[in-house]
Structures are given as structure tokens and as C-alpha cells.
């Protein structure tokens, strides 16, 4: 689709602004409005729900604006990059809630566009756009984490179906998901060339999930077990034993998405929300209008500068991604930096709070203080999920810098 001129883009922006104003549920205009926290993820559990968030999701999905750049024939908005950016900007400017959060949109959909058959796209992508199906990712296994290609979950050809047996671990929200995009072993004689990419309905007999409680007190991750699970032959995406190529491509989208979620002023990367400098002033005190602790002030300033540089780099790589029709290995640079800066921010937040940064629960500690402690512990996972920092550094070394493997 051709780029818009300035006048056309201004007219489109006015249309977007008017539609958002007219379509956003009145119940959500109060920032403190109570809705089911899971509603923003959609899925079968919210089919027909009148929760205001679900209503908002369905209205946006009807426009295709939950996935604005996807082709209209698959339920998307059919917008170009400029138009999609306008929609994103106007949602942010109006402080509207995101209509839908979805692994299907962030990771699966883009690889379906590249590797799936037309029939598979028409079956799955409109349901992703509409928030009808909540997806989870079946990659890591107890014996295949950083060395993902060592995965052993077996997928056997049984003539008229595939049969899957094995275990996945760290499967985010598997206990709430409707479907799973999964890497399986279809050839035990080869490592990377023996992996295939399949789609599994989580209601299939033989699928079991068990939440894993983390040190932060949360349980977003699960163990997932497959015992004699039968799936249709049509649930294989791409070529048999061709899943490793798809897996790597999807990881680029995943790392791009994880990185985009980190922000110096937010809590996605761990810790309480709010400006880190303001929080520190509140607890440490000020001298001449500046944070009283010089050393802490310098480290907070460096962290804020790093986040600013990161935002600029994310913007640059996003533009390069659009020009190249997809993300590159440079997403590993962003993923590594975002994880490390977010961990550092959460540590600085807790340090600035002093004794109040040691609380886990109770009336002595404010919600922001306990959130900082829980977030500090949660942030430890930032350098593991979506590929460990060490793996991402290896990717940067080989795929970005072109350095040889160590002898």
C-alpha cells in the first residue's frame, strides 16, 4: 500500500480520533474502572461476555484494529505502516486501554502469514484478530531451554493424524490458553532438521497444565504435558522437519514484542510504576532540588539515559523492520538491553525505598512498595524469557557482528 501524504494522514487521524471517541465504552473512561483482568487477553472464556473490556475488544476487532496491518482477507485492518502508527498514537493519546493483548498477534500471526497455507490463515487468523482464541507457546522443555533444538517432545505420524507425547515447561499462561503453537520432534535422527511446528487445541484429550509458582508469588508459567495427544494432519504449519526455521523467525517477533513492552516509566520490566527519580526523591530526600544521594542520583540518571537510548534504538529498528518486511537478528540487541536495564531499574527502585523496599505484605507497606519488591523478583525472569541474555549475545555476535564461533 502506498504511503499517505500529509493531508491524507491528517484526515485519517481525524477519523480515527472520532471513531475512538464514539466507540470506547463509557465504563472504561474511569482509569480505575473494574473489569476482569483476564478480559484483555480474550479467548473462549470471554465468548459473549459483556465485560466492558470484552466489548471494547470486539469493537476494535470489527475494524481489524487489533491487528491493523494484517490483510483484510484474514480479519486485519489492511492499514499501511503510517496508518497503523496513527491508530497506535491516538489510542495512547486518548489513554484508551489496549483492546487486546495476544501472543497470537505478537508472535504466531506474523509467522502464519509467512509459512501457513491459505486455508490455515483463513481458519486461525480471523479468530486471533477477534480475540476468540488465546494462544500459548510450547517451546522450552526440562532438557531443552537455551539449547532449544535439543527438544524431545515426540510427534508421530499415525496415518490420519499426528500423536504427540512429551512435556513443555515455562509455558506462559498455558492454564488459561485455548490453543498452543508448539515445537515437536518429528525426526529423532537429526537435531535442528528434525523439528516441526504444530498447532494444538488445549481441549484435546491428553493435554494437562500445572502452574509453576514463582519466587515473586505469581504463577504465570506452567508445565504442560502431552500424553497420547491426537491432532489433525492440517495442524502442521510449514514443511515437516522444517519447524526450526519457523521457530527462529517467531523468536525474532517475540523478542521484538518483549522489548517494546519495557519502559523506564512503567512497570512491565519489574518494579513499581512511576518515574524512578521522583520515587527516589520521595524516600531519600532532596538537596537544592536534587536527589540527596549523589551516587544513587548518578546511577538513576544513567539508567534513565540508557532507557532513552533504548527507545531511540527500538524506533530505528522498528523502521528497519518495516522496510525489510519483518524483524532481523537486531531484535536480540533490544531484548538483551531491555532486560538488563529493566532489572537494574527494579533494583534501584527497591534500593531507593530503603527499609520500605523490604516489605512483602501488610499494612506497614504501601501497595507501591510491595509492588516494587514483587516486581524486583519478577524482573529476574526478564533475562531468561524469550531467550536468555547469553543466547541473545551469541545471536548478536554471530548474526549482527559476523564474528566467528569461538575455537
Amino acid at each position: 500500500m502506498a504511503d499517505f501524504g500529509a493531508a491524507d494522514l491528517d484526515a485519517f487521524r481525524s477519523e480515527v480520533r472520532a471513531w475512538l471517541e464514539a466507540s470506547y465504552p463509557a465504563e472504561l473512561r474511569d482509569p480505575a474502572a473494574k473489569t476482569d483482568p483476564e478480559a484483555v487477553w480474550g479467548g473462549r472464556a470471554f465468548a459473549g461476555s459483556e465485560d466492558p473490556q470484552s466489548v471494547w475488544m470486539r469493537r476494535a476487532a470489527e475494524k481489524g484494529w487489533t491487528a491493523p496491518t494484517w490483510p483484510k482477507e484474514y480479519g486485519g485492518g489492511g492499514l499501511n505502516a503510517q496508518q497503523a502508527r496513527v491508530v497506535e498514537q491516538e489510542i495512547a493519546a486518548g489513554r484508551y486501554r489496549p483492546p487486546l493483548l495476544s501472543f497470537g498477534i505478537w508472535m504466531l500471526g506474523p509467522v502464519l502469514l509467512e509459512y501457513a497455507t491459505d486455508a490455515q490463515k483463513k481458519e486461525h487468523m480471523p479468530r486471533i484478530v477477534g480475540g476468540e482464541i488465546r494462544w500459548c507457546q510450547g517451546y522450552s522443555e526440562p532438557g531443552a531451554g537455551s539449547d532449544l533444538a535439543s527438544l524431545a517432545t515426540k510427534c508421530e505420524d499415525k496415518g490420519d493424524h499426528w500423536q504427540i507425547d512429551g512435556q513443555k515447561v515455562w509455558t506462559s499462561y498455558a492454564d488459561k490458553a485455548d490453543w498452543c503453537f508448539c515445537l515437536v520432534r518429528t525426526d529423532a535422527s537429526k537435531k535442528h532438521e528434525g523439528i516441526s511446528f504444530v498447532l494444538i487445541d488445549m481441549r484435546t484429550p491428553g493435554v494437562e497444565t500445572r502452574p509453576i509458582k514463582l519466587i515473586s508469588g505469581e504463577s504465570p508459567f506452567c508445565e504442560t504435558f502431552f500424553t497420547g495427544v491426537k491432532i489433525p494432519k492440517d495442524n502442521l504449519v510449514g514443511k515437516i522437519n522444517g519447524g526450526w526455521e519457523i521457530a527462529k523467525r517467531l523468536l525474532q517477533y517475540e523478542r521484538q514484542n518483549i522489548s517494546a513492552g519495557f519502559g523506564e516509566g512503567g512497570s512491565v520490566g519489574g518494579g513499581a510504576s512511576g518515574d524512578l527519580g521522583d520515587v527516589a526523591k520521595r524516600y531519600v530526600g532532596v538537596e537544592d532540588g536534587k536527589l540527596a544521594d549523589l551516587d544513587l542520583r548518578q546511577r538513576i540518571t544513567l539508567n534513565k539515559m540508557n532507557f532513552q537510548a533504548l527507545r531511540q534504538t527500538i524506533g530505528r529498528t522498528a523502521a528497519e523492520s518495516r522496510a525489510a518486511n519483518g524483524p532481523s537478528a537486531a531484535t536480540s540487541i533490544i531484548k538483551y538491553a531491555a532486560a538488563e536495564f529493566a532489572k537494574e531499574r527494579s533494583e534501584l527502585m527497591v534500593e531507593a525505598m530503603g527499609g520500605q523496599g523490604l516489605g512483602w505484605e501488610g499494612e506497614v507497606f504501601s501497595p507501591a512498595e510491595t509492588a516494587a519488591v514483587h516486581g524486583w523478583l519478577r524482573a529476574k525472569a526478564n533475562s531468561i524469557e524469550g531467550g536468555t541474555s547469553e543466547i541473545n549475545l551469541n545471536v548478536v555476535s554471530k548474526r549482527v557482528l559476523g564474528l566467528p564461533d569461538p575455537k
Side-chain angles (χ1 to χ4, degrees):
M1 185 180 293
D3 287 349
F4 272 30
D8 291 330
L9 210 56
D10 286 343
F12 179 72
R13 185 180 297 277
S14 296
E15 293 174 12
V16 171
R17 192 173 296 165
W19 184 87
L20 290 171
E21 178 65 27
S23 304
Y24 194 64
E27 301 94 324
L28 297 182
R29 295 187 184 279
D30 178 2
K34 300 295 184 182
T35 65
D36 190 316
E38 295 298 325
V40 71
W41 291 91
R44 288 173 177 151
F46 291 92
S49 169
E50 291 306 311
D51 183 289
Q53 176 65 44
S54 295
V55 172
W56 169 226
M57 176 192 70
R58 289 195 293 269
R59 288 175 181 172
E62 287 172 3
K63 294 280 287 185
W65 285 1
T66 54
T69 61
W70 289 10
K72 285 189 174 182
E73 62 183 305
Y74 303 129
L79 305 184
N80 64 23
Q82 290 175 297
Q83 292 173 304
R85 180 61 177 156
V86 167
V87 172
E88 178 184 328
Q89 289 172 338
E90 291 304 314
I91 288 176
R95 297 191 176 182
Y96 301 110
R97 296 187 184 192
L100 176 64
L101 303 180
S102 171
F103 292 158
I105 289 175
W106 301 330
M107 294 184 278
L108 178 61
V111 298
L112 288 181
L113 280 170
E114 290 188 52
Y115 297 97
T117 65
D118 187 59
Q120 288 171 329
K121 294 173 187 175
K122 288 180 177 176
E123 178 184 358
H124 295 290
M125 296 186 70
R127 294 196 294 168
I128 293 173
V129 173
E132 298 173 36
I133 298 296
R134 182 170 179 174
W135 289 83
C136 64
Q137 176 185 21
Y139 269 33
S140 296
E141 299 183 6
S146 294
D147 184 13
L148 180 59
S150 293
L151 65 92
T153 294
K154 183 168 59 174
C155 179
E156 295 181 285
D157 187 342
K158 295 297 184 178
D160 63 345
H161 67 272
W162 302 105
Q163 179 172 308
I164 300 171
D165 292 273
Q167 178 187 355
K168 297 292 179 178
V169 73
W170 308 122
T171 320
S172 299
Y173 308 111
D175 56 331
K176 297 178 174 65
D178 304 308
W179 279 68
C180 176
F181 48 94
C182 191
L183 295 180
V184 293
R185 174 70 55 193
T186 41
D187 188 341
S189 69
K190 300 176 182 178
K191 190 174 182 180
H192 298 81
E193 295 81 11
I195 295 171
S196 295
F197 189 98
V198 298
L199 309 178
I200 303 171
D201 187 332
M202 297 293 280
R203 295 184 302 186
T204 307
V207 178
E208 178 189 359
T209 61
R210 300 176 190 169
I212 302 170
K213 192 168 184 177
L214 306 183
I215 192 174
S216 65
E218 300 175 346
S219 297
F221 302 113
C222 295
E223 296 177 287
T224 305
F225 299 87
F226 303 103
T227 306
V229 175
K230 299 177 182 179
I231 65 170
K233 281 295 189 73
D234 290 343
N235 285 18
L236 171 73
V237 178
K239 300 177 182 178
I240 188 170
N241 298 324
W244 187 245
E245 178 184 346
I246 301 176
K248 291 190 295 182
R249 187 63 165 157
L250 187 144
L251 283 170
Q252 290 180 336
Y253 286 107
E254 180 181 13
R255 289 162 184 166
Q256 182 182 59
N257 173 69
I258 290 174
S259 304
F262 292 117
E264 183 273 325
S267 60
V268 174
S273 60
D275 182 83
L276 181 54
D278 291 342
V279 171
K281 287 179 180 179
R282 200 156 58 241
Y283 286 89
V284 178
V286 297
E287 291 180 1
D288 298 325
K290 300 177 182 178
L291 182 65
D293 186 323
L294 175 60
D295 176 66
L296 182 61
R297 185 168 79 222
Q298 290 176 330
R299 287 184 286 136
I300 289 175
T301 300
L302 180 58
N303 182 260
K304 291 167 72 72
M305 290 172 63
N306 284 335
F307 265 112
Q308 181 59 37
L310 175 63
R311 283 193 290 271
Q312 297 294 327
T313 305
I314 289 174
R316 175 173 56 79
T317 56
E320 293 172 352
S321 174
R322 289 191 293 270
N325 195 32
S328 69
T331 55
S332 288
I333 300 174
I334 307 301
K335 168 60 173 62
Y336 170 79
E340 296 305 312
F341 297 158
K343 285 199 303 181
E344 180 183 67
R345 179 184 185 275
S346 69
E347 291 164 0
L348 289 168
M349 179 79 74
V350 171
E351 179 182 344
M353 290 180 174
Q356 292 303 114
L358 299 176
W360 188 254
E361 59 186 2
E363 297 180 358
V364 175
F365 304 99
S366 71
E369 291 163 352
T370 55
V373 179
H374 285 248
W376 166 64
L377 292 172
R378 173 61 181 84
K380 303 302 180 184
N382 294 155
S383 58
I384 300 173
E385 58 198 353
T388 66
S389 288
E390 291 78 10
I391 289 296
N392 279 294
L393 287 175
N394 283 341
V395 172
V396 172
S397 172
K398 295 177 184 179
R399 308 300 180 197
V400 179
L401 300 178
L403 299 177
D405 290 327
K407 300 295 185 181

